[in-house]
């Protein structure tokens, strides 16, 4: 009997707190029995929420997921600054926050909405002269990163600010929802809000709730891996969420899988179009120019995509 075709598809995982994204990838590999698992962006160990993993041939789709917009739920603590801009780092400064008004807090977040130049947190994976920034910080070096262009669509406060006393210091905890472009650092939003208010700030909780069309409510619990074999979202179903679709008859599907250019009934597009066969298989991603489809990325046609 022939061995079963390798699985292919997208796995949505709700990452638990306290483990790395690479730990989740390792668990998925064991659960699925394959080494070919990649990710479309990591989360810090402190954070929870949505990870998008590609399995088998569907790792080819991850390129198109990485740059999608994201949604996060976060808690920002004003009145304390940490070395990492989150709760995993040592507190380096406290500042009285009792007089900070709710209106001032809202203004501090509103000032970060739009197309902005954001300085990433120094404790990040960005490389500086070949070494990760976080490694340089942990070695005692002062690290200054260049600002990056990001788009923050909205920062919405979801509850009244909570005024607390922590370790004898007045602080304010603020729950927010952030919708933003890829590359945005939520820790930096917390830090910059605190800086603008003159009291410092850092992140105490972070949960990623969506990446593009994928929501954490669809995800499997990462704590259940690798004990349970998770169900994948197939390559074709994933592509239908990400791209416009052109349907192929049997002849067209075979021709495109052989690398030929074929006529299709679809308007011209600059970006990818998902070419899907009558039997539901994703044949490839194509570009359509003057009614002719040309392959950008091909996919297996032996049923291996799941």
């Amino acid at each position: 009997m022939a061995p079963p075709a390798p699985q292919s598809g997208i796995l949505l995982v709700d990452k638990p707190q306290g483990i790395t994204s690479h730990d989740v990838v390792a668990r998925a590999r064991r659960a699925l029995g394959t080494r070919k698992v990649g990710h479309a962006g990591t989360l810090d160990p402190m954070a929870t929420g949505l990870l998008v993993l590609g399995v088998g041939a569907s790792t080819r789709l991850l390129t198109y997921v990485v740059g999608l917009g994201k949604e996060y739920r976060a808690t920002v603590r004003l009145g304390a600054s940490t070395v990492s801009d989150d709760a995993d780092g040592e507190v380096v400064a406290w500042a009285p926050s009792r007089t900070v008004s709710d209106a001032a807090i809202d203004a501090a977040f509103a000032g970060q909405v739009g197309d902005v130049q954001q300085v990433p947190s120094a404790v990040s994976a960005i490389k500086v002269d070949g070494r990760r920034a976080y490694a340089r910080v942990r070695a005692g070096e002062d690290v200054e990163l260049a600002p990056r262009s990001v788009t923050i669509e909205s920062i919405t406060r979801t509850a009244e600010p909570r005024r607390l006393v922590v370790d004898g210091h007045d602080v304010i905890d603020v729950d927010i929802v952030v919708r933003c472009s890829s590359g945005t650092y939520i820790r930096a939003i917390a830090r910059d809000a605190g800086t603008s208010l003159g009291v410092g700030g850092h992140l105490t909780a972070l949960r990623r709730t969506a990446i593009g069309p994928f929501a954490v409510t669809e995800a499997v619990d990462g704590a259940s891996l690798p004990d349970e074999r998770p169900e994948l979202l197939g390559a074709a179903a994933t592509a239908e969420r990400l791209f416009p679709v052109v349907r192929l008859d049997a002849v067209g599907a075979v021709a495109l899988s052989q690398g030929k250019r074929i006529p299709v009934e679809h308007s011209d597009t600059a970006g990818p179009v998902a070419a899907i066969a009558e039997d539901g298989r994703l044949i490839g991603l194509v570009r359509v120019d003057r009614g002719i489809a040309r392959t950008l990325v091909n996919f297996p046609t032996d049923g291996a995509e799941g």
Side-chain angles (χ1 to χ4, degrees), residues 15-255:
K15 186 187 88 67
Q17 190 173 34
I19 66 172
T20 70
S21 299
H22 296 294
D23 290 335
V24 174
V25 170
R27 291 181 179 187
R29 286 171 173 162
R30 293 197 299 274
L32 295 167
T34 178
R35 294 290 302 169
K36 195 168 184 181
V37 178
H39 63 77
T42 63
L43 287 170
D44 293 334
M46 185 194 86
T48 69
L50 184 61
L51 291 175
V52 177
L53 307 184
V55 181
S58 292
T59 54
R60 304 174 199 188
L61 292 171
L62 295 180
T63 298
Y64 303 96
V65 177
V66 169
L68 296 177
K70 298 174 174 63
E71 179 185 270
Y72 296 88
R73 291 186 174 271
T75 300
V76 175
R77 176 160 292 173
L78 301 171
S81 302
T82 72
V83 67
S84 60
D85 300 325
D86 66 15
D88 281 346
E90 179 185 359
V91 175
V92 294
W94 298 92
S97 60
R98 185 176 304 171
T99 60
V100 177
S101 68
D102 292 2
I105 292 170
D106 290 342
F109 289 119
Q112 299 185 62
V113 173
D115 297 327
V116 297
Q117 292 292 307
Q118 185 188 67
V119 177
S121 297
V123 180
S124 69
I126 295 172
K127 285 189 176 181
V128 179
D129 295 331
R131 290 180 62 202
R132 301 289 185 186
Y134 62 74
R136 289 183 175 275
V137 171
R138 289 168 184 166
E141 300 180 31
D142 290 328
V143 175
E144 292 187 12
L145 299 176
R148 303 170 121 194
S149 297
V150 300
T151 299
I152 301 175
E153 181 182 335
S154 63
I155 304 175
T156 306
R157 179 161 57 83
T158 60
E160 293 298 313
R162 301 185 297 282
R163 297 172 185 273
L164 312 168
V165 176
V166 174
D167 294 338
H169 300 275
D170 295 319
V171 298
I172 305 173
D173 281 1
V174 187
D175 297 329
I176 58 174
V177 172
V178 180
R179 295 182 177 88
C180 57
S181 66
S182 178
T184 302
Y185 280 82
I186 312 302
R187 285 182 289 154
I189 291 176
R191 176 202 65 205
D192 292 346
T195 298
S196 69
L197 293 166
V199 298
H202 68 280
L203 209 60
T204 62
L206 181 64
R207 180 167 176 77
R208 186 156 64 197
T209 51
I211 300 176
F214 307 108
V216 72
T217 52
E218 306 173 83
V220 301
D221 183 357
S224 70
L225 300 174
D227 299 325
E228 297 181 13
R229 187 178 182 88
E231 183 176 344
L232 302 180
L233 181 66
T238 301
E240 286 186 277
R241 294 198 193 187
L242 296 173
F243 313 109
V245 173
V246 61
R247 305 287 175 180
L248 305 180
D249 60 22
V251 173
V254 170

